[in-house]
Amino acid sequence: MTFVDATFRIGIAAATAVSGISHAYLYIHGYQHIPTIGAAFVLQASVSFAVAALILIGGPEWLVWAAAMLAGGALIAFALSRTVGLLGFSERGWQPSPHAAVSVVAELLTVGLWVAYLVSRRRVGARG
Amino acid sequence: MTDAPHTMNRRQLIRHSAWFGAAVGLAVAGGEVISHIAGTAEAKQVQARPTLRFAQVSDSHIGFTGKANPDVAGSFSQAIGRINNLGYTPDFVIHTGDLTHLATPEQFDHVKQMMTGLRTPHVFTVPGEHDSVDDAGQKYLSAFGAGTRGDGWYSFDIAGVHVIALVNTLNLKKLGHLGVEQLDFIAKDVAPLPNDTPIIVFSHIPLFAMYPDWGWATGDAAQALSYLRRFSSVTCLNGHVHQVFSKTEGNVTFYSGTTTAYPLPHPGDGPAPKPVTLPAGKLHDALGIREVGYIRGQSALALKERALQ
């Protein structure tokens, strides 16, 4: 693993963990009572923690893809909950603050780092 | 290139399987830890009583006859049984409207008689539009209007919580309507309260724009909510839409409750909100009641939806 690879992995793992922490916090502080959404929050958080930990200790590349898919899915769910609603659940703007904003920034960062990671690996592959 | 990039030998397969297993194992363990922390936090909250616990029931539509539910009285009776078997006595029960289907004296008598079976110190109601189909709510007020103000609105304090029950089903055209007199009541009612007083608001039609095309909104709710913005915790519970839905706008959280009679389609699913006939055996999954708990010092109320099944 190159230094650049390791840096991307640390960044993706950290951003994924932050999104997981945010979802876990909201689950513990009330969202557990929202039908279906509560279960989705605890699932997002637990899978985020697992994926982040395994990326950090050098797991295979599909874990990085899993982190990106998780972040993308969370962003889509966020957009739905602010527009047409998601499974009977709807919120407005950046509420609950600051967790909504923290999650979105972390998830955008995950997706951005994933794209950069892929580009970097492709360049290395092309050179090699 | 001699190696096929997408083939995997036995050793690689075992390695990837091990990583996948580790991911699943860690996720399950993480989920357990989070659930345990949440359970501990909730247990602490439960120990933090005395608090307020009440049940919401809605849209019983006593008198409805249709294949969506041929026995609404039976379903409502089950709902009452569900509330009576929560394992504790709720501080009160609120019926958020459409007690009857056609607001006949017989239907009001029937539903009132049934509600005497609720084991709780207080039963509160707000009218639905079905409770005022032909007389601007006069029969409703005769049956349930004792102690209310104006056309049936009122407020009370319980366990440090200020509760406001609103009537937004009279003078409605397409959307719910509160009217100047009731808005004035709200403004004066909350004026002396400190900002940290938890507020709970009951109404039949949602105070948020759930689906205005079907009338699932209240035209002048923004004015009412403007009086409540300064409070740190405002929770609005409504019926009318026959389905669970929640929405948060700043410090105000809205929760639509389900029904004990028959389901309605999801917003925009079809041309109009007509009763939905579910396959045999599925109806009681869609019907239910709601438990609501308030812990002193917490800004969010804890809601539990209970199906009649």
Side-chain angles (χ1 to χ4, degrees):
Chain A
M1 192 189 300
T2 66
F3 174 74
V4 175
D5 269 5
T7 309
F8 276 127
R9 279 173 166 269
I10 291 168
I12 290 169
T16 304
V18 167
S19 168
I21 290 168
S22 203
H23 282 83
Y25 179 89
L26 289 174
Y27 176 80
I28 292 165
H29 291 85
Y31 279 53
Q32 58 184 298
H33 299 295
I34 303 174
T36 315
I37 299 298
F41 266 60
V42 75
L43 187 68
Q44 200 281 351
S46 56
V47 174
S48 292
F49 292 145
V51 166
L54 295 177
I55 288 173
L56 213 52
I57 61 169
E61 190 175 305
W62 60 260
L63 284 164
V64 177
W65 283 72
M69 296 306 110
L70 204 58
L75 286 170
I76 290 168
F78 179 87
L80 288 174
S81 71
R82 267 69 188 169
T83 49
V84 295
L86 176 67
L87 302 167
F89 175 71
S90 165
E91 285 183 308
R92 179 178 274 196
W94 296 103
Q95 296 294 332
S97 178
H99 309 288
V102 168
S103 298
V104 167
V105 169
E107 284 143 15
L108 287 173
L109 198 61
T110 304
V111 174
L113 285 169
W114 168 67
V115 171
Y117 176 76
L118 290 186
V119 170
S120 128
R121 286 186 71 84
R122 193 159 291 179
R123 279 191 188 149
V124 171
R127 264 189 249 130
Chain B
M1 193 180 279
T2 51
D3 289 340
H6 296 298
T7 58
M8 196 185 285
N9 61 34
R10 185 182 159 84
R11 182 172 292 178
Q12 285 171 320
L13 179 65
I14 291 170
R15 205 169 59 223
H16 282 294
S17 299
W19 281 108
F20 183 75
V24 172
L26 273 178
V28 171
E32 283 292 323
V33 170
I34 296 166
S35 300
H36 179 73
I37 295 169
T40 309
E42 196 172 48
K44 275 184 189 161
Q45 287 178 3
V46 169
Q47 285 166 7
R49 281 176 50 80
T51 180
L52 175 67
R53 288 187 294 192
F54 64 92
Q56 181 191 2
V57 65
S58 199
D59 295 84
S60 46
H61 286 268
I62 295 300
F64 171 82
T65 49
K67 59 180 181 176
N69 185 351
D71 184 17
V72 288
S75 302
F76 190 49
S77 186
Q78 269 186 281
I80 291 169
R82 196 82 175 83
I83 292 169
N84 289 343
N85 288 290
L86 288 174
Y88 60 89
T89 303
D91 294 308
F92 65 85
V93 174
I94 173 73
H95 191 309
T96 43
D98 282 355
L99 297 105
T100 68
H101 194 61
L102 293 172
T104 64
E106 296 74 25
Q107 290 173 6
F108 277 117
D109 283 348
H110 191 184
V111 72
K112 195 169 182 181
Q113 178 64 33
M114 290 183 79
M115 286 169 73
T116 58
L118 282 164
R119 287 202 283 271
T120 177
H122 308 285
V123 175
F124 297 103
T125 62
V126 291
E129 79 283 4
H130 280 264
D131 300 317
S132 54
V133 285
D134 58 353
D135 64 351
Q138 288 312 304
K139 287 192 288 291
Y140 165 81
L141 286 174
S142 300
F144 292 101
T148 65
R149 310 262 294 271
D151 283 326
W153 52 83
Y154 54 94
S155 68
F156 59 93
D157 294 286
I158 183 166
V161 177
H162 189 69
V163 180
I164 307 171
L166 299 177
V167 178
N168 57 358
T169 53
L170 303 177
N171 307 312
L172 79 157
K173 293 186 174 89
K174 186 176 179 186
L175 303 179
H177 183 75
L178 293 164
V180 175
E181 194 184 345
Q182 190 168 201
L183 288 169
D184 189 45
F185 159 76
I186 300 167
K188 287 178 179 157
D189 184 59
V190 300
L193 300 174
N195 290 352
D196 60 352
T197 308
I199 306 285
I200 299 176
V201 183
F202 298 126
S203 65
H204 179 64
I205 297 174
L207 294 176
F208 68 103
M210 181 163 165
Y211 197 67
D213 285 355
W214 285 358
W216 290 1
T218 300
D220 48 1
Q223 183 71 36
L225 294 170
S226 72
Y227 303 135
L228 306 176
R229 295 270 176 227
R230 69 182 174 87
F231 294 98
S232 53
S233 168
V234 181
T235 307
C236 302
L237 304 177
N238 64 272
H240 188 56
V241 301
H242 293 216
Q243 57 199 283
V244 173
F245 196 92
S246 61
K247 184 180 180 70
T248 304
E249 291 182 11
N251 61 328
V252 186
T253 310
F254 304 90
Y255 295 102
S256 296
T258 188
T259 167
T260 68
Y262 51 81
L264 289 175
H266 295 306
D269 191 3
K274 300 283 184 201
V276 174
T277 304
L278 295 175
K282 297 283 181 197
L283 175 63
H284 283 73
D285 290 334
L287 311 181
I289 58 119
R290 171 183 277 160
E291 282 180 80
V292 186
Y294 168 71
I295 312 294
R296 204 179 302 278
Q298 300 280 318
S299 60
L301 272 66
L303 274 68
K304 286 181 186 163
E305 310 293 340
R306 303 287 190 198
L308 290 195
Q309 199 71 303

